[in-house]
Amino acid sequence: MSYVDDVLALVQKKNASEPEFLQAVEEVLNSLRPVIEANEEKFRKEALLERLTEPERQVKFRVPWVDDNGQVQVNVGYRVQFNSAIGPYKGGIRLHPSVNIGIIKFLGFEQIFKNSLTGLPIGGGKGGSDFDPKGKSDREVMAFCQSFMTELCRHIGADTDVPAGDIGTGAREIGYMFGQYKRIRNLYEGVLTGKGLSYGGSLARKEATGYGLLYLTEEMLKCNGHDIKGKTIVLSGAGNVAIYAAEKAAELGAKVVTMSDSNGWIYDAEGIDLNAIKELKEVKRARLSEYKNYRPNAEYHEGRGVFGVKCDIALPCATQNELLLEDAKQLVANGCIAVAEGANMPTTLDATKYLQRNKVLFAPGKAANAGGVATSALEMSQNSERLSWSFEEVDAKLHDIMVNIFHSLDNAAKKYGAEGDYVAGANIAGFEKVVDAMLAQGVV
Ligand code: NDP
């Protein structure tokens, strides 16, 4: 068997109960075959892929806190420090009831290549908890965040591991976690990104993942002879990534007609009213079903369905495995020309293959949503300098980073005879730098 097949078999055996992690490893290693086969003997001797697929460290801990009724609740916390070959671990904290070690490992594994693609010195990590912030009071969220950080603070630091937001972790949660870190460690340092502007946050960080997604999508379309202006976009999610993706899409002259949350989705033929969405999601923390109160002509549907709406471009921005094979078939039948992933691994493997086979331009999340972590790294730079850059300065750097990412994956795909396969291109471009650093640093 080839080295890739040997390692895939080993990873499956060792992680049999972690389907999302296996899915991520399978996608990455399969697309790296040309590079690995060219160095098969050396990589095998170095056990390079065995090391790459085993986290450097993973921490699992108890998070007890007291709810508003005086009842003690217990959640589980995780931090997976996957790979620090090119810089301190960097990756978000996910707070969602579905969180388990397999999901955190898949996200941490993807993060290695994503962070490498940004061209910035950041390694891969991810963390989270099965705590659900939805429906909790601010005091309960604070109690959870303080307890979570009381343990996590032993494992992180501005030059060690710098967590950020993800699903369920926004400005409020980052603020509570930062406060507790500072209190326990007596250190005012850039240990978290996504901070508020009054205490070390970066302008444009909130917008960065969504804006970056659109910058990369625009470049991908341009290089393939299309203009984003005038295109119809279906978008899933209604959180941080989705809102700012929709904002930038509208600024670039496209029309976003759908958004979704975990209960249902909206269709607004005239284009989504983002002021309404921001008020619903960022201020009231309400459900999308209330969107009709703002726009009576819009439709609200329970369940899933955004990818069945006719569009030119689809931007899945909610969660993993939300764009299935049947959705891919509908998108192709409806004439969709491009899919770019705002979320992490939102498209299943079979759906990705179907889209690529049918010549839909496909930008994988590890490239398309890298704007968030790239801007987090810019926040780290500003914290180290003890300076703040203007919105325009950060946004301009973000734009350049996303355009560069697109060209590095485009070039990597061409170099290995896979022109237009941006999944392979992203994995190869991200992998080459990490591997180089791992080999240089010896057996660690
Ligand atoms: P948010 O928590 O702000 O929003 C998530 C959105 O997706 C919400 O609308 C949520 O609906 C919906 N959603 C979450 N889980 C599910 C589910 N199981 N089924 C259906 N809908 C769901 O998270 P973000 O916008 O920050 O993150 C979205 C995606 O983007 C994630 O995959 C994340 O890993 C990825 N990402 C985020 C980055 C960032 O900077 N924030 C950076 C790079 C990637 P509801 O509110 O009803 O739960």
Side-chain angles (χ1 to χ4, degrees), residues 213 233-237 241-242 245 260 306-307 313-323 331 338-347 355 362-363 365 368-369:
L213 171 67
I233 297 184
V234 299
L235 196 149
S236 64
V241 179
S260 66
V306 294
F307 302 115
I313 300 165
L315 303 176
C317 296
T319 192
Q320 66 272 1
N321 293 331
E322 52 162 323
L323 198 164
L331 287 169
V339 173
E341 297 184 319
N344 283 312
M345 208 169 74
T347 315
L355 292 168
F362 183 86
N369 69 33

Side-chain angles (χ1 to χ4, degrees), residues 94 96 107 114 126 134 165-168 205 209 237-242 260-263 281 287 317-319 342-344 369 372:
R94 178 171 293 192
H96 193 274
L107 290 163
K114 180 190 306 193
K126 198 82 187 186
K134 265 201 258 38
D166 190 69
I167 291 180
R205 172 61 188 91
T209 309
N240 174 259
V241 179
S260 66
D261 62 20
S262 43
N263 295 95
K281 288 294 174 186
R287 312 308 302 160
C317 296
T319 192
N344 283 312
N369 69 33

Side-chain angles (χ1 to χ4, degrees), residues 94-115:
R94 178 171 293 192
L95 301 181
H96 193 274
S98 63
V99 163
N100 57 44
I101 188 66
I103 288 188
I104 300 298
K105 276 171 68 182
F106 119 64
L107 290 163
F109 184 68
E110 290 278 300
Q111 198 82 42
I112 304 169
F113 306 97
K114 180 190 306 193
N115 292 2

Side-chain angles (χ1 to χ4, degrees), residues 15-27:
N15 306 276
S17 59
E18 298 169 4
E20 291 85 1
F21 178 57
L22 294 176
Q23 181 183 343
V25 172
E26 203 182 309
E27 186 236 64

Side-chain angles (χ1 to χ4, degrees), residues 7-273:
V7 174
L8 280 176
L10 178 78
V11 172
Q12 268 152 14
K13 198 167 142 206
K14 280 169 71 178
N15 306 276
S17 59
E18 298 169 4
E20 291 85 1
F21 178 57
L22 294 176
Q23 181 183 343
V25 172
E26 203 182 309
E27 186 236 64
V28 170
L29 294 198
N30 274 327
S31 71
L32 289 174
R33 279 180 195 274
V35 191
I36 293 165
E37 276 158 18
N39 299 279
E40 173 120 4
E41 207 179 316
K42 180 175 178 195
F43 286 178
R44 196 189 273 275
K45 185 145 190 274
E46 292 281 344
L48 193 91
L49 297 182
E50 290 88 333
R51 284 194 273 155
L52 195 67
T53 51
E54 184 65 40
E56 288 175 17
R57 184 177 301 107
Q58 54 192 57
V59 195
K60 179 179 178 193
F61 50 98
R62 181 171 70 199
V63 189
W65 56 280
V66 182
D67 72 16
D68 285 346
N69 297 321
Q71 173 66 48
V72 175
Q73 302 286 345
V74 181
N75 288 102
V76 186
Y78 304 93
R79 186 74 188 165
V80 172
Q81 300 179 328
F82 222 119
N83 191 300
S84 62
I86 63 168
Y89 311 104
K90 182 97 198 79
I93 292 174
R94 178 171 293 192
L95 301 181
H96 193 274
S98 63
V99 163
N100 57 44
I101 188 66
I103 288 188
I104 300 298
K105 276 171 68 182
F106 119 64
L107 290 163
F109 184 68
E110 290 278 300
Q111 198 82 42
I112 304 169
F113 306 97
K114 180 190 306 193
N115 292 2
S116 167
L117 276 175
T118 66
L120 301 167
I122 37 179
K126 198 82 187 186
S129 170
D130 58 354
F131 173 77
D132 186 358
K134 265 201 258 38
K136 304 286 191 303
S137 69
D138 283 352
R139 195 211 60 81
E140 289 176 322
V141 170
M142 182 172 73
F144 167 82
C145 289
Q146 290 184 338
S147 181
F148 183 78
M149 185 51 85
T150 300
E151 173 60 32
L152 188 67
C153 74
R154 305 166 203 267
H155 310 288
I156 62 175
D159 295 314
T160 312
D161 182 355
V162 184
D166 190 69
I167 291 180
T169 307
R172 174 182 61 172
E173 291 75 16
I174 293 287
Y176 292 147
M177 289 181 196
F178 183 76
Q180 184 74 347
Y181 179 88
K182 181 168 66 74
R183 179 193 197 190
I184 298 181
R185 301 291 299 270
N186 196 23
L187 271 179
Y188 204 108
E189 59 169 3
V191 67
L192 291 163
T193 56
K195 297 186 292 298
L197 294 178
S198 57
Y199 61 95
S202 173
L203 285 161
R205 172 61 188 91
K206 182 174 67 171
E207 293 83 355
T209 309
Y211 279 22
L213 171 67
L214 268 294
Y215 294 148
L216 185 133
T217 304
E218 184 188 28
E219 188 68 12
M220 175 173 77
L221 290 172
K222 197 167 86 190
C223 292
N224 285 280
H226 301 283
D227 189 349
I228 194 163
K229 202 163 170 206
K231 297 286 184 295
T232 298
I233 297 184
V234 299
L235 196 149
S236 64
N240 174 259
V241 179
I243 290 174
Y244 293 95
E247 182 167 282
K248 184 52 75 178
E251 269 177 47
L252 296 176
K255 184 164 74 167
V256 176
V257 292
T258 65
M259 288 185 97
S260 66
D261 62 20
S262 43
N263 295 95
W265 57 284
I266 51 172
Y267 172 68
D268 190 336
E270 291 159 30
I272 298 285
D273 176 351

